[in-house]
Amino acid sequence: MRDRIRPPAELETSVLDRLKADGIIETKQKGMMLAAAIGYHLEGQHGRRGLELDKLGEGIRLEYFQRVRDDAFIDALAVSLEQDLHALEDDSTDSRLTTFEQLAHVGLMELKRVCYDGQAKPLDALLDLIERTISSQTGPLPGLEGLGVLESLI
Amino acid sequence: MILRKLEITNFRQIYGTNQIEFAPVGDRNVTVVLGTNGSGKTTLLSAFMWCLYGTVDLQNKDELISHRAVQDTPVGGTVEVSVTLIFDATGHTYHASRSVCMRRLDGGSLERLTEGKLELMIMGADGRSAMANEPATLVERLLPESLSRFFFFRGEDMEQLARQGSQEHLKKGTETFLDFTVIDRSIKHLGQVSDRIEREIRSIAKGDAKDLSERMGQLTEEIDDLEARHEHAASEVAALVAQGDMLDAELAASDEVRPLLEDKARLKQKLQDQEERARELRRQLAALVSSDGYLAFAGDTLDRPLMLAEQAVQKGELPAKIKPKFVDDLLDKGACICGRPIDDQASGALRVYRSHTGLAGLEEQIFTLRNGVNLLRDRRERFVDLLHSARTDYSVALTDIQRTADELSRIDSELKGRDFGLEAIRALQAKVRAKSNELVEARVLLERLEASTAERRERLKELEDERKKKLGESAQEQALTARKAAVVAAQRAVVRLRNDWAALVQRYLDMKLKQTWDRIAQLERLVEFTPDLHLVIKERGGDGDWIASAPSQANQRALALSFIGALIDLAREVAESPTAGVASVFAGGEYCLVMDAPFATMDTFFKTRIPRGLVSLVPQIIVINSNDQWEGEVASALEDRVGKRYVLELHKPGREGEDRTVQFGGRSVDYEVAERYSGTDWSIIREVA
């Protein structure tokens, strides 16, 4: 069973390292979280799984994700994309990590475009993207208003 | 000279063809041009001087042309710089224009294809026009270059005018009004005639008279030599006085600018603190984005697992009725919880049941995910709130920085580079002492030369008297002696006339200066245009007497403006005098004032009074200044007299959002425009309707 998450080698240098050097992300783990979320925002909602991964870079141990309580997001992404809670099975761990890496790949390419291909400063460009995304999301998804039922069951 | 219109094409900072139509004489006779630092305010002033006299204060002649215009021109292509000034004077309208055409060479240098010659077209009241044959001479008659500094000037030059070292400029200016050219020529000519007669006398003198003549010749040579040395020494003294004035002014300015420097230091510290706070807020924003920024993109990811779990509950899959581990334990033990052994049939049933437990086996993972997702949902909510408040704080911090930077820029513009530290002041004081010693030595030399000259003149007079007695009785000698005496007497009379006339005009200008000061400054001071052509300002001493004071920059400007006001009055009277236009070099008439930052260093008192006073005295005023210098007291004083408004819109390399607008004439106008893809600055002139 895999215990590491690995970014694409080329984007690790051209985006993750750069974002870290520019003070926008504290760690590569945080950069991968941001990238995967953006990847999901762009591709995942349409049921796509991103790109085929080519050469992978240095791995980040899963333990780092757990330490800052971000691991739930990796699982949530897999469940959301599979539309199936069975994605949480132990046997599917590798598949969940691969899904995360594919989404991160898409997100890293978007981060490169937004932060480094335009005229604005990288942080400002990213903040604008975040603001736009937040303002485009309005309230809970239809049909999910009764989530409180679950609280009483588990 | 009343201005109608100025058209500038590619002149220095000003790009393309731009026009200014000036507010005419009347109730609204003020034209205001606003421009920020570097937008070309002084360029506008230079445009007048270049057009009329061809003079421009530039070391590199290529700098005459707009960089932006050169950039637009392909290699081998030509580009033109031109200035046209249309003005009224002596009942005619004049079109003065000067232009230069240049070719752009490979490597970026420019080749001048035409020399910028002045062309002057005269249009009569009847509509007929003609080109002036000698345009430079005509312009010199309408506004002599020596007088132009009184009508087209920079604020800082005005202070110079009120300093002791400006005696020569004031002298030249007043003498131009007096039209001394012809008189000086007469004095010189009479001197030459006298010398010629003297040479004739020497050539026919005999015996003792011949000896005396030779000694007189030697003495005359010595006197000529002493006079030349005196002239040189006098100009050295004048230069030293001017330099001393400059140093004194700088020292005085150090006192004047101290409050400004203190403000500047305080604002710089404030700006540093604000910039540090902005950097800290930006670090906080980055930390926020790094920690939880991804949650902004989570969308339904944090909702779907909960939704799927709820569906499982509705289907009865959760919660599990029997835990799969419980079934596994039973099968492992091979016995029921009551201890009865499990037979094959029961074991088969349990295995079937075990294979259909569905999500029951993932209950723990789902529980963990639910907790994790709820935590993330809380984090997302907190992130959105914190992001909003951090961005607001950051935006406020940037606005604070901009405000402080604007205040600093205003102070800088008031300081005009006069930034004195303690070291600079000490160095300045040392320079003043050294210059003062030099001046004392130069004055001693001058006095010695004067004494030597006087002594030789006295001796010459004695020799001449002695020679008169020795000269023979011949008719020729008698006639030559008499002729020489007549010529010398005539020369003395003309010199006396000239001096009397100069004194008369000095007294007249002194009177006018006092009237103008009372009218425009309205401050109890005694101002004087002294017989030795100095501008002096005095204030009441402790015992009520007038004492000369070291005037502040504001007082110096007010004094200089009053003097210029007096000259404008005099120019009007020259034109109205019965001898106007007769054998006179200067025509006189009504004159406009074109002023660059005239009120910059004045205090509130003068900023209110001087503009109002000037407007009532001068037929047409053009004020070129920054928004900081204009808004407030000056704008309030002149607002109801403004007939035309323009902005020098500065385009400079910058990023989006660095544009600056100002309120002018009740409208918001572009003041600085950031050009993202430009590598050079340029300005255009826009009328504010």
Side-chain angles (χ1 to χ4, degrees):
Chain A
M1 200 161 65
R2 286 173 55 189
D3 68 343
R4 281 174 185 268
I5 284 179
R6 302 174 71 191
E10 196 273 320
L11 293 169
E12 180 176 21
T13 318
S14 63
V15 184
L16 278 183
D17 287 345
R18 218 166 151 192
L19 286 171
K20 201 170 160 206
D22 288 342
I24 295 169
I25 55 165
E26 284 163 16
T27 61
K28 287 186 188 176
Q29 179 267 328
K30 284 296 181 187
M32 286 296 278
M33 293 304 297
L34 186 62
I38 293 175
Y40 175 78
H41 181 69
L42 291 176
E43 305 265 318
Q45 295 181 79
H46 306 295
R48 291 168 59 190
R49 288 297 188 89
L51 305 175
E52 282 303 313
L53 297 176
D54 195 7
K55 191 180 169 193
L56 292 174
E58 201 181 315
I60 305 162
R61 285 159 58 144
L62 206 51
E63 176 191 331
Y64 287 123
F65 290 81
Q66 289 158 349
R67 204 181 290 164
V68 288
R69 300 192 167 188
D70 285 340
D71 53 327
F73 189 65
I74 300 173
D75 294 341
L77 282 175
V79 170
S80 296
L81 285 170
E82 296 292 338
Q83 292 285 307
D84 189 351
L85 290 168
H86 284 98
L88 295 173
E89 283 172 357
D90 286 348
D91 294 349
S92 304
T93 301
D94 287 1
S95 163
R96 287 202 301 276
L97 300 190
T98 305
T99 299
F100 183 82
E101 285 167 348
Q102 285 173 326
L103 292 172
H105 191 172
V106 175
L108 284 169
M109 287 195 293
E110 179 66 2
L111 276 169
K112 185 170 188 284
R113 188 187 70 76
V114 169
C115 295
Y116 296 114
D117 292 349
Q119 296 286 331
K121 290 178 182 168
L123 180 61
D124 293 330
L126 187 55
L127 284 169
D128 283 348
L129 179 66
I130 288 173
E131 290 275 12
R132 279 202 308 276
T133 307
I134 290 172
S135 59
S136 69
Q137 293 165 353
T138 50
L141 290 172
L144 293 180
E145 293 86 353
L147 284 173
V149 179
L150 192 64
E151 303 281 338
S152 60
L153 291 172
I154 306 177
Chain B
M1 176 183 272
I2 297 298
L3 305 179
R4 280 176 177 245
K5 188 173 162 184
L6 178 72
E7 186 174 288
I8 304 178
T9 301
N10 298 331
F11 184 74
R12 302 185 66 184
Q13 176 76 356
I14 297 167
Y15 169 64
T17 297
N18 298 264
Q19 293 180 344
I20 294 180
E21 284 188 27
F22 298 100
V25 178
D27 291 342
R28 289 187 172 271
N29 59 346
V30 178
T31 302
V32 184
V33 184
L34 285 196
T36 187
N37 287 346
S39 65
K41 297 193 292 292
T42 307
T43 295
L44 261 187
L45 208 59
S46 304
F48 287 103
M49 300 304 283
W50 187 68
C51 177
L52 293 174
Y53 309 109
T55 52
V56 63
D57 183 21
L58 285 175
Q59 287 191 335
N60 181 359
K61 296 296 175 196
D62 288 353
E63 292 291 317
L64 196 66
I65 201 155
S66 152
H67 287 187
R68 169 74 202 272
V70 175
Q71 279 181 358
D72 285 357
T73 308
V75 172
T78 59
V79 58
E80 188 188 47
V81 52
S82 69
V83 178
T84 298
L85 182 63
I86 303 175
F87 59 91
D88 292 338
T90 62
H92 296 91
T93 298
Y94 297 85
H95 287 237
S97 70
R98 194 182 292 271
S99 68
V100 166
C101 188
M102 299 195 190
R103 178 185 289 129
R104 185 175 179 183
L105 304 175
D106 205 1
S109 60
L110 295 165
E111 177 192 11
R112 197 179 267 236
L113 299 177
T114 57
E115 283 308 315
K117 275 192 183 164
L118 173 67
E119 288 185 355
L120 188 64
M121 187 171 74
I122 312 145
M123 293 179 71
D126 56 2
R128 283 192 286 187
S129 63
M131 293 302 288
N133 291 330
E134 292 182 43
T137 310
L138 186 48
V139 163
E140 192 63 23
R141 183 171 141 70
L142 296 170
L143 180 62
E145 193 177 352
S146 58
L147 280 186
S148 64
R149 66 178 273 130
F150 298 112
F151 300 110
F152 300 95
F153 57 83
R154 293 189 305 164
E156 53 213 77
D157 293 341
M158 273 192 295
E159 289 148 30
Q160 182 94 18
L161 201 63
R163 289 182 198 139
Q164 215 188 358
S166 288
Q167 185 188 17
E168 271 306 303
H169 294 299
L170 293 170
K171 191 173 170 210
K172 216 169 188 176
T174 39
E175 286 182 356
T176 307
F177 270 101
L178 295 168
D179 196 9
F180 274 167
T181 325
V182 178
I183 297 177
D184 285 342
R185 210 178 293 148
S186 308
I187 293 169
K188 195 176 168 190
H189 180 68
L190 286 169
Q192 288 165 346
V193 172
S194 164
D195 289 346
R196 202 174 61 234
I197 298 171
E198 174 60 31
R199 280 196 298 277
E200 279 184 55
I201 292 173
R202 264 181 237 162
S203 68
I204 60 167
K206 292 185 178 86
D208 288 346
K210 189 176 172 68
D211 290 344
L212 285 168
S213 292
E214 278 168 8
R215 283 166 62 191
M216 280 173 66
Q218 280 169 2
L219 265 179
T220 309
E221 277 175 24
E222 281 175 30
I223 289 170
D224 287 348
D225 179 51
L226 283 169
E227 278 180 346
R229 284 169 62 194
H230 182 272
E231 196 177 334
H232 179 70
S235 69
E236 286 232 315
V237 165
L240 285 169
V241 168
Q243 288 165 15
D245 276 355
M246 291 290 286
L247 291 171
D248 283 344
E250 277 188 51
L251 263 183
S254 74
D255 287 335
E256 272 183 37
V257 301
R258 195 161 295 130
L260 287 172
L261 288 175
E262 281 165 7
D263 276 354
K264 186 176 175 180
R266 183 182 54 76
L267 285 170
K268 270 172 108 171
Q269 185 56 51
K270 188 175 170 186
L271 188 64
Q272 270 180 16
D273 294 346
Q274 286 172 335
E275 283 173 345
E276 182 48 49
R277 174 163 164 70
R279 279 194 291 274
E280 178 52 34
L281 286 169
R282 204 167 166 81
R283 277 194 289 272
Q284 285 175 16
L285 272 169
L288 203 55
V289 167
S290 172
S291 165
D292 290 334
Y294 72 93
L295 293 168
F297 302 95
D300 60 356
T301 321
L302 304 183
D303 303 326
R304 278 187 195 277
L306 301 180
M307 187 180 72
L308 290 168
E310 191 196 16
Q311 284 168 357
V313 169
Q314 282 168 1
K315 283 185 199 165
E317 292 174 354
L318 283 175
K321 290 175 182 65
I322 299 175
K323 306 287 180 198
K325 189 167 184 316
F326 174 68
V327 178
D328 291 343
D329 287 348
L330 289 179
L331 287 169
D332 285 350
K333 271 170 72 179
C336 177
I337 49 170
C338 60
R340 198 176 65 194
I342 294 171
D343 59 14
D344 288 348
Q345 191 184 350
S347 171
L350 280 173
R351 285 181 199 285
V352 169
Y353 180 77
R354 173 72 179 80
S355 66
H356 288 94
T357 50
L359 292 171
L362 290 171
E363 200 164 9
E364 197 180 324
Q365 287 92 323
I366 293 171
F367 179 76
T368 308
L369 179 60
R370 174 255 177 198
N371 282 344
V373 161
N374 276 335
L375 198 67
L376 292 177
R377 284 159 65 100
D378 289 346
R379 273 169 62 182
R380 177 167 64 180
E381 203 172 309
R382 202 170 57 246
F383 167 74
V384 171
D385 287 347
L386 287 173
L387 180 76
H388 177 69
S389 97
R391 282 206 97 177
T392 307
D393 288 349
Y394 184 60
S395 165
V396 169
L398 290 183
T399 311
D400 288 345
I401 287 172
Q402 184 59 50
R403 202 169 291 144
T404 308
D406 285 350
E407 270 187 79
L408 265 173
S409 155
R410 181 184 58 74
I411 287 182
D412 275 340
S413 118
E414 280 189 44
L415 281 170
K416 288 190 178 298
R418 301 168 300 169
D419 214 336
F420 300 96
L422 197 57
E423 285 300 309
I425 289 177
R426 280 186 188 144
L428 212 50
Q429 284 168 336
K431 268 191 195 172
V432 170
R433 279 196 297 275
K435 204 53 77 180
S436 169
N437 290 340
E438 277 182 58
L439 187 59
V440 169
E441 284 172 24
R443 280 193 166 136
V444 167
L445 175 66
L446 199 62
E447 278 174 22
R448 275 191 200 142
L449 290 169
E450 277 168 5
S452 301
T453 311
E455 184 199 325
R456 280 169 177 75
R457 280 195 190 286
E458 189 63 31
R459 181 79 191 118
L460 187 64
K461 176 88 175 52
E462 287 168 11
L463 289 176
E464 195 159 17
D465 289 345
E466 206 178 327
R467 188 181 67 176
K468 258 186 209 165
K469 293 174 198 158
K470 304 279 182 191
L471 279 172
E473 297 297 318
S474 80
Q476 192 186 9
E477 282 174 351
Q478 291 283 334
L480 281 173
T481 309
R483 269 176 61 198
K484 188 185 170 191
V487 170
V488 169
Q491 190 189 28
R492 282 191 190 134
V494 177
V495 168
R496 199 165 51 243
L497 181 71
R498 179 194 192 282
N499 293 343
D500 289 351
W501 196 357
L504 196 69
V505 171
Q506 170 268 319
R507 283 200 294 277
Y508 182 81
L509 270 173
D510 180 48
M511 179 196 74
K512 283 271 174 201
L513 173 71
K514 288 179 168 69
Q515 285 174 355
T516 314
W517 175 267
D518 290 343
R519 197 164 155 188
I520 73 173
Q522 299 166 18
L523 182 69
E524 199 199 6
R525 295 280 188 280
L526 178 66
V527 293
E528 289 177 331
F529 183 47
T530 64
D532 56 351
L533 309 182
H534 284 141
L535 284 172
V536 175
I537 187 163
K538 293 178 177 171
E539 55 186 289
R540 292 266 185 215
D543 55 1
D545 289 344
W546 290 110
I547 51 166
S549 59
S552 65
Q553 282 180 312
N555 275 336
Q556 282 177 334
R557 282 199 183 192
L559 180 61
L561 276 171
S562 298
F563 181 74
I564 290 168
L567 280 183
I568 285 179
D569 240 12
L570 182 59
R572 190 185 294 134
E573 287 174 16
V574 166
E576 287 166 0
S577 73
T579 55
V582 182
S584 173
V585 173
F586 176 51
E590 289 205 305
Y591 278 82
C592 61
L593 268 188
V594 183
M595 307 180 285
D596 173 12
F599 314 115
T601 57
M602 288 184 182
D603 53 21
T604 306
F605 179 84
F606 281 132
K607 273 184 178 171
T608 309
R609 282 165 179 77
I610 299 282
R612 277 199 197 129
L614 274 182
V615 156
S616 65
L617 191 74
V618 180
Q620 185 188 41
I621 290 182
I622 291 95
V623 183
I624 308 164
N625 51 198
S626 69
N627 184 55
D628 289 341
Q629 292 158 352
W630 170 252
E631 66 181 0
E633 294 93 347
V634 178
S636 302
L638 292 179
E639 197 62 57
D640 58 347
R641 301 297 299 263
V642 177
K644 287 277 186 183
R645 295 169 199 274
Y646 292 86
V647 170
L648 273 164
E649 187 181 290
L650 173 65
H651 293 245
K652 61 178 186 179
R655 300 171 75 112
E656 204 173 321
E658 290 179 354
D659 294 349
R660 194 174 157 210
T661 57
V662 293
Q663 288 297 316
F664 186 31
R667 292 188 55 184
S668 177
V669 296
D670 286 336
Y671 197 52
E672 292 176 29
V673 179
E675 294 286 344
R676 197 185 277 185
Y677 303 107
S678 175
T680 187
D681 292 0
W682 75 90
S683 294
I684 53 173
I685 302 171
R686 279 202 198 282
E687 182 173 5
V688 181

